[in-house]
């Protein structure tokens, strides 16, 4: 039997959509990579009744492990430990040693920030964070909030692991947390599952769906494959989870997809376009010349640890003067054709190549909107250029759908694929 | 009584943490802004039993409205409509007119992508998307997936609104969706709630918590305020929701916070640091010179519609040659002090100011990690510079916590605040 988990993310700021949830996805990835099936993820605000309801819901769904994130801070809206303890029928007691350690951490932070708050209510906050449910195991804090792991001795409720909300704290505490006795006991019951990912660019979800329908009819064991597809930022991703015994069926599906959509498939081993650009770059050096993407391509390239080996840098030429002054685009060319034109994109890429001293340069110039669109160049029109030393510069123009954020995000995807192509063709 | 809603996000890719959920937060924002209380948000994969369980859970929590996103595509893992229809006891019937419209949309996309898929399984996908539950109202598709709105005539289940997963489709369909008869009937029962946001920079959550504990003891009506605090990327945000009758209590809390933390408070009207930079820029022009942030500051500044009025552009000087060649940093200075030093950050900012032709320029040079740290400049060490025409250049050095992504994100926050200060002090 698969081990099933449920994840509860707490925090009104997440529920209200003011802050995007970075913990749920991270915890889910860890669990799936360990072979745990994530059945439900729920988000609740700071009302104890809602949190109790969600945990009870997950227990009713027969999950083996519940992981909560958030609600361990010093403020009055942080109620996770006491709410879960109440549901599990545990008293809270003060862990004096923990209180001492948290006090030391808080004092260090306060002195750094030059805090002037009253110390009495501050101690009340620390005391609150040092309360541990009876019989539970405390997970050492990396910030100020300790975690809690506990099992229900009666066996009617799942094991629960309570972790703090700040992603860096949670992630730093994770190794200790999964080694806590009651979590480790659940994890021992796992079975092995394979997860395989393929990615395509320029393929519609409808076409992939059609091919999967064909596969369903013709391939034995297709039903053993848990396939999910997702279109994100112009790339179509298909993830399949299966037990080892269904490997032959997956291989046949892959062959069929490759037959129908081979030209659009760019990854069958889980690698991303970022991985491919990094690998293909080899010793070559990449530069950027960005207008409508305003630095997003450079930011994406440098997201990656070690990118200094192949990213030189670039120019964000948002204003035309910068296209002219820093990338040597002739002013007359902009006057004649407009900044959003393939010849300007070409000169931008060539300017970056020469000025920054790179082997490959990519450029963007487009109308991200909401303003600035014209009849001939509506919002979403983006021109791209790729300059490679010693080769003719390549340009293309696309009309990308959606709002400003969408046009910019899709432009980055296009640029990454053009870069990968340029690096691959050498 | 407040109108309560629950949001269900479907999609194994979201549950698995491979794709971040953009719909839940967006829908929650819309609902809260309309005065609807969002009680729960749940994420489920593509298993009908899990979706049924989540919707039943929300119904058990007495929400008045359930909104689902995703699972309306043509693939076999898209099961929302049939799963919800089964729970609500409705038969599905084919809407022939809808089928015709979806076919036209799919054909247009296929011809653009040069699709070669078999047309029979493609039609099956379209037919699946054109199935509507008996008695439900169909919401016109903007992509290929129509939405569905329906009420439970027996009154035992909440009204449900079923929307597609692609964020641009969902957002485009939203105005029609909330005007559908059964959703509008729920929204009529709303009451008015005020939501107020303040933001601080350089203030610890522990200190704010201490002040709120003081407020709790001393301010009448404090209990009427639903306060949530959240630390995100180095900024502390406090959001308070209250009915009009509690306005005086909120005002007193604000006065107390201002007394204790006035120097750290930078916004009491909901404006973000991005808003403040944009407003303060006035006619002045901003440039960037980025090393460790690799384009993220420029990308952040240009995220904003209309930013071309004050963002000129900048240089991503990831490699030292670019710092020297495009920003006029003396090579000897880098040799002597290293690229991560305040004098280099100062010269980078001045170089951007002069080269790009701006009034204010901000620079970053740091060790984002995971590699590159030394004893004197460990990972997280970041130097910042602000150059303003006609003024001495300002620099500072910080040691930022966390991993590469955290150091880069926090650096952007610091740079935005330094920009705001520089623009405000003129």
């Amino acid at each position: 039997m698969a081990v099933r988990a449920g994840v509860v993310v707490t925090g009104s700021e997440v529920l209200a959509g003011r802050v995007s949830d970075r913990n749920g996805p991270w915890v889910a990835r860890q669990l799936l990579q360990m072979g745990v099936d994530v059945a439900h993820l729920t988000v609740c605000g700071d009302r104890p009744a809602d949190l109790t309801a969600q945990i009870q819901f997950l227990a009713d769904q027969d999950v083996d492990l519940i992981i909560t994130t958030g609600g361990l801070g010093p403020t009055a809206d942080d109620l996770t430990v006491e709410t879960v303890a109440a549901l599990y029928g545990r008293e809270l007691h003060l862990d004096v040693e923990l209180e001492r350690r948290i006090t030391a951490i808080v004092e260090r932070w306060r002195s750094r920030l030059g805090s002037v708050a009253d110390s009495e209510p501050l101690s009340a906050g620390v005391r609150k964070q040092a309360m541990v449910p009876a019989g539970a195991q405390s997970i050492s804090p990396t910030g100020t909030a300790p975690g809690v792991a506990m099992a229900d001795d009666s066996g009617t409720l799942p094991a629960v692991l309570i972790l703090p909300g700040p992603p860096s704290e949670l992630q730093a505490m994770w190794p200790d947390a999964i080694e806590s006795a009651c979590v480790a006991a659940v994890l021992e019951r796992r079975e092995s599952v394979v997860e395989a990912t393929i990615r395509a660019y320029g393929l519609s979800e409808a076409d992939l769906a059609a091919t999967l329908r064909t596969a369903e009819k013709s391939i034995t064991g297709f039903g053993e494959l848990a396939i999910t597809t997702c279109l994100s930022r112009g790339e179509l991703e298909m993830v399949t989870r299966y037990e080892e015994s269904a490997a032959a069926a997956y291989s046949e599906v892959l062959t069929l997809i490759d037959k129908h959509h081979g030209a659009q498939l760019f990854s069958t081993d889980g690698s991303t376009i970022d991985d491919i650009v990094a690998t293909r770059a080899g010793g070559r050096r990449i530069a950027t010349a960005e207008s409508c993407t305003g630095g997003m391509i450079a930011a994406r390239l440098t997201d990656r640890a070690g990118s200094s080996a192949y990213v030189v840098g670039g120019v964000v030429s948002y204003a035309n003067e910068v296209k002219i002054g820093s990338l040597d685009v002739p002013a007359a060319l902009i006057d004649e054709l407009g900044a959003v034109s393939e010849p300007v994109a070409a000169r931008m890429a060539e300017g970056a190549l020469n000025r920054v001293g790179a082997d490959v340069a990519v450029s963007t110039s487009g109308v991200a909107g909401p303003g600035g669109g014209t009849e001939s160049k509506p919002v979403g029109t983006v021109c791209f250029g790729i300059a490679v030393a010693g080769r003719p510069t390549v340009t293309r123009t696309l009309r990308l759908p959606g709002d400003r954020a969408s046009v910019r995000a899709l432009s980055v995807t296009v640029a990454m694929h053009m870069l990968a192509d340029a690096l691959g063709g050498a």
Side-chain angles (χ1 to χ4, degrees), chain A:
Chain A
M1 271 298 290
V3 171
R4 278 160 56 92
V7 180
V8 179
V9 173
T10 73
S12 296
E13 68 282 2
V14 176
L15 183 61
R18 291 194 304 274
V19 168
S20 70
D21 171 29
R22 290 168 57 201
N23 290 330
W26 190 88
V27 168
R29 286 307 299 156
Q30 306 309 309
L31 291 171
L32 286 165
Q33 280 164 11
M34 298 190 309
V36 174
D37 180 17
V38 180
H40 299 274
L41 186 151
T42 65
V43 180
C44 76
D46 302 322
R47 282 179 293 230
D50 292 343
L51 178 56
T52 302
Q54 291 192 356
I55 291 178
Q56 189 63 58
F57 166 69
L58 293 177
D60 293 343
Q61 299 304 307
D62 287 327
V63 300
D64 303 287
L65 175 65
I66 294 174
I67 296 179
T68 74
T69 74
L72 305 187
T75 49
D77 56 330
D78 292 306
L79 293 163
T80 306
V81 172
E82 56 197 271
T83 305
V84 175
L87 182 64
Y88 279 65
R90 307 289 178 95
E91 301 272 316
L92 293 177
H93 65 87
L94 178 67
D95 183 328
V96 178
E97 162 60 16
L98 204 52
E99 183 185 26
R100 196 194 53 72
R101 286 169 54 197
I102 300 171
T103 301
I105 295 168
V106 168
E107 287 303 329
R108 203 160 61 231
W109 285 6
R110 292 183 70 210
S111 66
R112 205 191 289 177
L113 290 166
S115 160
V116 293
D118 297 340
S119 70
E120 196 282 315
L122 205 64
S123 317
V126 170
R127 207 172 311 120
K128 176 178 169 305
Q129 292 188 283
M131 300 298 283
V132 179
Q137 183 175 344
S138 180
I139 317 284
S140 250
T142 56
T144 64
V148 171
M150 62 182 177
D152 178 31
D153 301 326
S154 73
T156 52
L157 290 165
V160 62
L161 174 61
I162 301 173
L163 292 171
S168 58
E169 288 184 36
L170 179 149
Q171 292 173 22
M173 289 162 69
W174 184 257
D176 277 0
I178 60 170
E179 281 177 10
S180 63
C182 63
V183 176
V186 172
L187 294 179
E188 264 175 19
R189 308 202 299 266
R190 281 168 297 169
E191 62 188 7
S192 82
V193 172
V194 181
E195 183 180 289
T197 302
I198 65 173
R199 295 190 171 86
Y201 172 66
L203 175 64
S204 79
E205 210 171 359
D207 278 290
L208 179 60
T211 301
L212 290 176
R213 276 171 207 280
T214 304
E216 188 174 7
K217 287 180 193 157
S218 61
I219 295 173
T220 313
F222 182 87
E224 307 299 308
L225 307 172
I227 296 177
T228 57
T229 62
C230 171
L231 185 66
S232 175
R233 296 183 181 175
E235 292 179 351
L236 190 58
E237 183 184 80
M238 183 181 105
V239 178
T240 309
R241 286 171 66 82
Y242 55 90
E243 289 176 36
E244 207 44 81
S245 57
Y250 179 69
S251 169
E252 281 188 63
V253 171
L254 212 54
T255 303
L256 189 73
I257 291 173
D258 190 51
K259 182 181 146 206
H260 282 135
H261 314 296
Q264 284 83 42
L265 263 192
F266 68 89
S267 164
T268 55
D269 62 357
S271 57
T272 62
I273 192 66
D274 307 64
D275 297 331
I276 293 169
V277 165
T279 305
R280 288 192 185 166
R284 286 171 295 177
R285 293 151 61 86
I286 301 172
T288 54
E290 305 184 59
S291 188
C292 65
T293 48
M296 292 172 76
I297 301 172
R300 170 86 168 256
L301 288 169
T302 57
D303 257 349
R304 204 180 171 84
S307 51
S308 58
Y310 53 90
V311 180
V312 199
V315 173
V316 178
S317 56
Y318 215 56
N320 287 342
E321 304 94 283
V322 182
K323 294 183 184 76
I324 297 162
S326 298
L327 291 170
D328 307 315
V329 178
L333 197 65
I334 297 178
D335 287 344
E336 188 192 341
L337 302 171
V340 181
S341 62
E342 294 194 17
V344 169
R347 297 300 287 263
M348 286 171 64
E350 291 161 4
L353 195 77
N354 299 327
R355 283 282 197 114
V356 175
D359 300 299
V360 184
V362 63
S363 67
T364 58
S365 183
V367 189
T374 63
E375 200 163 325
S376 61
K377 293 172 187 172
V379 169
T381 305
V382 182
C383 299
F384 299 85
I386 287 272
V388 180
R391 277 200 249 163
T393 297
V394 174
T395 57
R396 67 185 296 194
T397 302
L398 291 174
R399 288 203 186 162
L400 301 170
D403 61 9
R404 181 178 179 84
S406 163
V407 169
R408 280 162 50 100
L410 290 171
S411 295
V412 175
T413 301
V414 174
M416 292 297 287
H417 281 272
M418 287 181 75
L419 264 180
D421 288 347
L423 291 164

